[in-house]
Amino acid sequence: MNNIRHLLGLLNMCKSAGYSGNCWGYNFDWQSRAFYVPQYTPTIVNSGFIGHALLDAFQFTGDQKALDLAVPIKDFLLKDLHRTKDGDTFCFSYTPIDNTAVHNANLLGASLLIRLYKITGEQRLRDVALSSLAYSMKHQHDDGSWYYAETAMQSWIDSFHTGFNLQAIRWFLQLGEATEFQAAFERGVDFYAGHFFLEDGTPKYYHNKVYPIDIHSPAQAIVFFSGEGDAYQELTDRILNWTLKEMYDPHKGLFYFRKGRYMTNKIPYMRWGQAWAFHALTEYLLFRNTGGRLHAPQ
């Protein structure tokens, strides 16, 4: 508990200043394929993942500090991000300084809002979350897949972003919301399970290309399929066993960044590699040992 409170204090200190609500960005400049982001610019991805973790911490421990940090994230999402409209639906922007329509980012924000709605009872959070969700569901392909984003330069289909999409949609369904998308969710799960993994558990980066294998690919797969229960236990175990064999150094206790066809990049990035692998192992053990009971919705 003391460790959790220490981490909550660090998160509070690291918030991006000057925005409508609590939000977070990276402490370095970075360049995506579509736009440049200066250091400390908050993103829906950083803020969304942190928000979900804060709600989990509140759920597990009852610590009010976690909830107090999580709730104001809604103001950042609602007031500071741009929206790409499509009829009566819309897609959140990635940051306050871009206008891209990235599905995993949009769905991450929407899923956080629906969790916050269940806690606060604030109706507008539900309305916005459902409209944001509907945008990405409108752009789901008939086979259950999504492009990474709705621009020509970002029209690829990859493993871990597909997993992020599905995990966000699962929050809605677990909370009894947007049940009209249950069949679409199941098509997405079928596509994910059927197109991104080889027989030995090797996780492909793209639906039609194996390399480079990024640590995010097996990590997110383990997180997601652990939560899908017994039906995907065998697949989850295959992915986990492959990961421990091919991307883990048991002597140094770290996970590698990326594996190519002929060489492996063993740089132990803390956030990109170690944190996600730790998250994967935690979720795997949680669902294996408890059946996910600790993850029951609020």
Side-chain angles (χ1 to χ4, degrees):
M1 191 66 183
N2 288 336
N3 288 337
I4 292 175
R5 288 175 177 164
H6 175 67
L7 292 173
L8 292 176
L10 292 178
L11 282 173
N12 188 50
M13 292 171 55
C14 293
K15 292 183 297 186
S16 296
Y19 295 90
S20 298
N22 289 349
C23 52
W24 290 264
Y26 300 125
N27 61 341
F28 50 84
D29 301 337
W30 59 281
Q31 175 71 54
S32 76
R33 300 193 196 190
F35 53 89
Y36 169 78
V37 184
Q39 63 179 348
Y40 301 115
T41 302
T43 78
I44 192 172
V45 170
N46 294 65
S47 305
F49 278 130
I50 289 171
H52 277 294
L54 289 169
L55 293 182
D56 287 348
F58 173 68
Q59 181 178 324
F60 296 163
T61 69
D63 193 322
Q64 187 66 33
K65 292 180 180 178
L67 184 61
D68 291 343
L69 275 174
V71 171
I73 299 173
K74 66 184 176 61
D75 297 315
F76 168 68
L77 299 180
L78 296 178
K79 298 177 181 180
D80 295 338
L81 296 175
H82 301 126
R83 301 185 184 188
T84 298
K85 294 185 178 180
D86 185 351
D88 58 354
T89 72
F90 77 89
C91 182
F92 282 115
S93 65
Y94 206 99
T95 75
I97 62 173
D98 74 273
N99 287 282
T100 57
V102 177
H103 289 297
N104 78 94
N106 179 58
L107 289 167
L108 181 62
S111 62
L112 179 61
L113 288 176
I114 204 66
R115 289 187 74 185
L116 290 172
Y117 159 70
K118 291 294 183 179
I119 293 172
T120 67
E122 191 173 341
Q123 183 62 39
R124 66 171 179 155
L125 301 184
R126 180 178 186 271
D127 295 341
V128 171
L130 291 175
S131 181
S132 173
L133 169 67
Y135 174 92
S136 289
M137 300 312 297
K138 180 184 291 190
H139 289 274
Q140 186 185 28
H141 304 147
D142 290 341
D143 63 4
S145 67
W146 288 268
Y147 289 139
Y148 171 76
E150 295 303 312
T151 62
M153 66 180 293
Q154 296 171 294
S155 57
W156 66 82
I157 301 170
D158 73 78
S159 175
F160 56 89
H161 290 112
T162 298
F164 292 162
N165 292 347
L166 293 168
Q167 189 167 356
I169 298 164
R170 187 166 67 191
W171 271 115
F172 282 86
L173 299 175
Q174 287 179 334
L175 292 169
E177 299 285 350
T179 54
E180 67 271 23
F181 295 126
Q182 179 69 47
F185 170 77
E186 292 173 2
R187 285 199 305 275
V189 175
D190 289 343
F191 184 88
Y192 190 24
H195 289 77
F196 288 106
F197 309 99
L198 303 183
E199 284 299 316
D200 65 350
T202 300
K204 298 157 60 177
Y205 194 106
Y206 300 103
H207 72 296
N208 57 0
K209 181 181 177 183
V210 175
Y211 296 104
I213 302 173
D214 189 292
I215 186 60
H216 263 51
S217 296
Q220 176 56 23
I222 292 166
V223 168
F224 178 77
F225 287 115
S226 291
E228 286 298 288
D230 292 342
Y232 289 94
Q233 186 66 59
E234 191 273 336
L235 174 61
T236 307
D237 287 342
R238 278 193 283 127
I239 299 167
L240 175 62
N241 290 335
W242 180 92
T243 304
L244 294 176
K245 178 182 178 182
E246 300 292 340
M247 298 196 76
Y248 176 63
D249 186 328
H251 302 293
K252 296 181 179 180
L254 56 83
F255 287 84
Y256 306 142
F257 167 44
R258 278 186 176 175
K259 184 179 181 64
R261 185 181 298 275
Y262 301 110
M263 63 177 293
T264 300
N265 183 335
K266 298 183 179 182
I267 297 175
Y269 292 111
M270 181 57 70
R271 182 196 69 83
W272 190 265
Q274 311 317 307
W276 273 96
F278 180 79
H279 178 44
L281 296 175
T282 301
E283 292 290 300
Y284 179 86
L285 291 174
L286 173 65
F287 282 94
R288 171 60 69 89
N289 294 332
T290 71
R293 286 189 295 274
L294 292 179
H295 253 328
Q298 283 279 22

